[in-house]
Amino acid sequence: MSTLSVNSNKLRRHRSILLLRNQKGFAMAVIMALLPILISAVLATFGVITFTQTDLRLKYICRRENIQTQERAAKLLKSLLTMNPEASYLQKRLKTAVAACGYTGAGCAELTRVRATIVLFKIRQQQLISQANIILQQGYHRTLTHISREGRDVVNSVPLFKGQFNLTPGSGPLLAIRPEAMAEPPTYSPVENFSDRQALEHRWQYRLTTSQPLNIFLDQSFHFDKGCSVTLKQDGDEWVTQIKKAKSLSKWL
């Protein structure tokens, strides 16, 4: 009995060793099968982190440039709207002079003086509007140049990916104001949907395609729509910049 017992114990130990070896072999096979997935995940994560950091820098540059442009335009907008009380006063003077002298006002010194004052006043108004429009247009194209240059740097700096960068065609805004009435001289006010009409907005797209050695494990392309938008909003008597949410989309292709 003791010999049979010893042999039985040896047999059980042998079976246990074989089972343990089989389990280790299976675990190693599973690890080897999952290793490409794990490597691709690590490499892809590294590339995405690098891309995110550089893209945030691009968005910062876009917002910074647009904020500076809108701040300059805001000063001119405030100056223009501040002229409204004087415009209303000149409207009343003109109405009074026309009532006293007739519309033609032949030989009426007061009507001549009022009309000359209005001409100069309207020139001042138009100068402010023109200056604001020039600032907005120049600012838009200056930011466009920065984004174009920095965007190419972004896609070239993402490791393990080949990138393409494209800017969405667009144009800068004009000062979003309108004359309130057909009066001489006009008073001005912000247009409806001022926030959207005044916005300096830039949009761009990335296309990232995996390259060696990542594409051995993951052959994939990614598309990202990005953008930034800065507008103005009224804060009491002041006009201040406001960052708008740019609608962006990231998706697999």
Side-chain angles (χ1 to χ4, degrees), residues 14-52:
H14 181 68
R15 289 177 177 175
S16 298
I17 292 172
L18 288 176
L19 180 61
L20 182 60
R21 287 178 178 176
N22 288 337
Q23 290 175 342
K24 289 182 177 179
F26 177 75
M28 183 60 68
V30 171
I31 291 174
M32 293 302 295
L34 294 177
L35 186 59
I37 298 176
L38 294 174
I39 292 175
S40 63
V42 171
L43 294 177
T45 300
F46 176 65
V48 169
I49 290 174
T50 303
F51 166 74
T52 300

Side-chain angles (χ1 to χ4, degrees), residues 119-135:
V119 169
L120 295 176
F121 183 83
K122 290 175 65 177
I123 290 174
R124 288 165 51 202
Q125 288 178 312
Q126 289 302 315
Q127 285 177 337
L128 292 174
I129 295 172
S130 297
Q131 289 173 14
N133 289 338
I134 290 172
I135 287 172

Side-chain angles (χ1 to χ4, degrees), residues 3-252:
T3 301
L4 291 175
S5 178
V6 170
N7 289 336
S8 178
N9 290 335
K10 288 181 177 180
L11 181 60
R12 283 196 296 271
R13 286 197 299 271
H14 181 68
R15 289 177 177 175
S16 298
I17 292 172
L18 288 176
L19 180 61
L20 182 60
R21 287 178 178 176
N22 288 337
Q23 290 175 342
K24 289 182 177 179
F26 177 75
M28 183 60 68
V30 171
I31 291 174
M32 293 302 295
L34 294 177
L35 186 59
I37 298 176
L38 294 174
I39 292 175
S40 63
V42 171
L43 294 177
T45 300
F46 176 65
V48 169
I49 290 174
T50 303
F51 166 74
T52 300
Q53 291 175 339
T54 51
D55 177 62
L56 286 174
R57 179 169 60 88
L58 178 58
K59 185 172 291 187
Y60 166 76
I61 291 172
C62 179
R63 287 177 173 175
R64 180 194 65 195
E65 294 293 326
N66 285 345
I67 285 173
Q68 291 176 354
T69 298
Q70 290 285 23
E71 285 177 342
R72 295 176 63 195
K75 294 178 181 178
L76 296 171
L77 174 60
K78 180 182 177 181
S79 296
L80 178 66
L81 298 181
T82 301
M83 295 175 69
N84 281 341
E86 186 177 355
S88 297
Y89 170 71
L90 289 174
Q91 290 172 11
K92 293 177 181 178
R93 280 189 62 188
L94 178 62
K95 184 177 181 180
T96 301
V98 169
C101 305
Y103 184 77
T104 58
C108 182
E110 173 60 15
L111 184 57
T112 301
R113 282 194 297 269
V114 172
R115 284 177 170 167
T117 302
I118 288 175
V119 169
L120 295 176
F121 183 83
K122 290 175 65 177
I123 290 174
R124 288 165 51 202
Q125 288 178 312
Q126 289 302 315
Q127 285 177 337
L128 292 174
I129 295 172
S130 297
Q131 289 173 14
N133 289 338
I134 290 172
I135 287 172
L136 290 169
Q137 291 297 312
Q138 289 181 342
Y140 176 84
H141 291 289
R142 181 174 59 251
T143 304
L144 203 66
T145 300
H146 282 297
I147 293 173
S148 179
R149 181 176 60 251
E150 295 291 335
R152 289 192 294 269
D153 292 342
V154 169
V155 295
N156 292 331
S157 66
V158 181
L160 308 174
F161 287 88
K162 291 185 294 185
Q164 294 179 343
F165 175 81
N166 295 299
L167 275 169
T168 301
S171 59
L174 299 177
L175 191 64
I177 47 92
R178 61 177 178 82
E180 291 185 339
M182 298 300 293
E184 290 290 323
T187 55
Y188 286 92
S189 63
V191 299
E192 294 182 5
N193 301 319
F194 174 84
S195 177
D196 293 331
R197 298 277 295 277
Q198 181 67 26
L200 273 169
E201 183 167 301
H202 296 81
R203 301 186 66 81
W204 58 91
Q205 300 81 38
Y206 303 105
R207 184 184 180 91
L208 299 178
T209 304
T210 53
S211 60
Q212 291 184 350
L214 180 58
N215 60 359
I216 297 175
F217 311 109
L218 178 65
D219 188 8
Q220 185 67 55
S221 293
F222 304 89
H223 182 264
F224 302 90
D225 288 330
K226 299 288 185 176
C228 84
S229 181
V230 178
T231 188
L232 293 175
K233 69 174 182 178
Q234 191 168 12
D235 184 10
D237 294 332
E238 302 295 327
W239 291 88
V240 297
T241 58
Q242 180 184 36
I243 295 176
K244 298 183 63 179
K245 291 184 179 180
K247 297 178 181 179
S248 60
L249 173 67
S250 302
K251 62 182 179 181
W252 294 73

